[in-house]
Amino acid sequence: MPELPEVETVRRGLVPWVKGKKIKSIEVVHKGGNRASTFAPVKSANGAKIKDLHRRGKFLWFELDRDFALVAHLGMSGQFLVQPKKSPDEKHLRVRLDCGDRSKEIRFIDQRTFGWVAIDDLVYESGKMIPRSYSRIALDIFDPDFNKVEVVARIQKKKSAIKKVLLDQSVMSGVGNIYADEALWRARIHPERMANSLKADEVNELLRSVKSVMSRALKQGGTSFDDLYINVNGESGYFAVQLEAYGQEDEPCSRCGTQIKRIAFGNRSSHFCPKCQKNLKKSGVKRG
DNA sequence: CATCGACCCTGCGGGC
DNA sequence: TGCCCGCAGGGTCGAT
């Protein structure tokens, strides 16, 4: 389940294969995700030069020398693999990209088809042209222009559970279910605490936790729950980071020994320590 | 505009 | 052995 660190690992792995290269051919082998843009067919990128490869949150942007962009999202199970051209097609191969290497090609593979590769049009943001889909999401916490003060204030105005706000990519991008649970555990905040009940100090601590847990995962080359995530070299980033909350139901909390609890959260789950992470919403917390 | 929940999809594992 | 069901969860979109 790729989140920011995993996508960044993929980006770093892909850069040497794509940056400055001309797209010799790009072909949709099997229709990709159902959310793919219909702006133009992917093959429109044939012959374009890839000037750079960027990431915002979980989105990848192949910057082209064209007036449109090539964008990708890994969804839940998407992978980019650099494979020998001779090797047989994977069962879930979606897109094949030839950047001129003599023996190798880049393949986008996705089992659950929540991921996609698409052409997108460019729009203005802060004086720059960026992909439309990429522009709809907020900056992530590693972006040099990330404005922490602004984001903290915005979070404090949200009338939603803090976990929901963490996953809202229009507030801050890059956080998924795993790192949301991990950051909340580290900051000792209950996932169902109302965001507008949090003090600035608490939100700041939460954002520090988000950044530190993601930095650690990134340093390890990305975390994954299983082998659905494989980096571009085909090497799994399996369990590189110690998970303290996510997937730890009934395991003892490493801080206090209390059993980690799992509760339903929409279509998914939240994991937390009921002792370290109290929900204070009914205890008359005063604001300010 | 803000918020919420349904929905897209496939593989896997548990229960029977 | 095989079937059914629930679960996993990104982003998007319609309803309120």
Side-chain angles (χ1 to χ4, degrees):
Chain A
M1 299 132 200
E3 299 181 30
L4 188 153
E6 290 75 29
V7 179
E8 175 61 15
T9 301
V10 168
R11 191 196 67 82
R12 291 179 185 177
L14 277 178
V15 161
W17 297 93
V18 303
K19 188 172 178 177
K21 313 282 186 190
K22 190 176 168 181
I23 296 176
K24 197 172 166 188
S25 74
I26 182 165
E27 153 197 25
V28 176
V29 177
H30 183 285
K31 198 176 176 305
N34 53 331
R35 299 296 176 195
S37 158
T38 53
F39 176 72
V42 167
K43 67 181 180 189
S44 309
N46 273 328
K49 182 183 167 187
I50 300 172
K51 293 166 78 176
D52 208 348
L53 177 58
H54 310 275
R55 180 192 53 73
R56 178 182 290 189
K58 306 166 197 170
F59 286 76
L60 288 168
W61 168 28
F62 297 78
E63 185 186 358
L64 307 178
D65 61 347
R66 294 287 191 275
D67 61 358
F68 53 82
L70 183 64
V71 181
H73 196 291
L74 302 179
M76 288 177 57
S77 52
Q79 306 169 9
F80 275 101
L81 296 181
V82 178
Q83 294 283 64
K85 291 177 181 178
K86 289 178 185 171
S87 82
D89 288 1
E90 292 77 6
K91 185 180 175 189
H92 301 289
L93 175 63
R94 308 282 169 185
V95 178
R96 193 195 315 276
L97 171 62
D98 186 341
C99 280
D101 189 85
R102 184 174 299 173
S103 62
K104 296 196 171 173
E105 63 187 19
I106 296 151
R107 297 179 181 180
F108 180 69
I109 296 146
D110 191 14
Q111 288 184 10
R112 294 183 206 172
T113 71
F114 278 19
W116 46 265
V117 174
I119 298 293
D120 205 357
D121 56 338
L122 295 166
V123 296
Y124 266 114
E125 184 192 271
S126 310
K128 287 184 293 188
M129 297 302 279
I130 59 167
R132 184 180 296 279
S133 57
Y134 190 103
S135 75
R136 275 202 289 264
I137 61 166
L139 299 183
D140 62 65
I141 201 163
F142 292 101
D143 195 295
D145 294 327
F146 182 79
N147 188 331
K148 192 174 182 181
V149 174
E150 208 171 84
V151 172
V152 168
R154 184 135 183 247
I155 290 172
Q156 286 188 287
K157 285 179 189 149
K158 287 282 183 184
K159 293 172 204 160
S160 298
I162 185 61
K163 170 86 178 273
K164 195 179 279 287
V165 176
L166 273 182
L167 296 179
D168 183 344
Q169 306 295 301
S170 70
V171 175
M172 175 178 69
S173 66
V175 181
N177 207 38
I178 297 177
Y179 295 117
D181 280 359
E182 292 302 304
L184 287 164
W185 180 87
R186 278 166 173 77
R188 302 175 195 242
I189 296 171
H190 192 289
E192 293 177 326
R193 272 285 297 282
M194 292 302 285
N196 64 3
S197 79
L198 294 167
K199 295 170 187 165
D201 284 353
E202 292 178 293
V203 181
N204 272 300
E205 177 60 23
L206 180 57
L207 294 194
R208 269 196 295 277
S209 301
V210 166
K211 197 166 185 179
S212 76
V213 70
M214 285 189 159
S215 298
R216 208 167 310 161
L218 187 52
K219 203 173 170 185
Q220 302 288 335
T223 298
S224 179
F225 186 66
D226 55 31
D227 63 2
L228 286 178
Y229 165 72
I230 301 175
N231 71 24
V232 289
N233 298 313
E235 198 176 317
S236 178
Y238 187 79
F239 272 115
V241 163
Q242 174 70 36
L243 296 177
E244 304 280 7
Y246 182 86
Q248 305 302 305
E249 186 181 13
D250 296 338
E251 294 294 319
C253 167
S254 71
R255 275 193 303 246
C256 74
T258 306
Q259 283 191 337
I260 297 293
K261 200 174 165 186
R262 179 170 76 96
I263 56 174
F265 171 72
N267 288 333
R268 56 204 78 170
S269 301
S270 287
H271 311 74
F272 66 101
C273 171
K275 188 177 175 190
C276 298
Q277 298 165 262
K278 297 263 194 237
N279 190 351
L280 303 171
K281 71 181 174 186
K282 288 175 185 171
S283 58
V285 177
K286 289 180 181 174
R287 291 215 241 148

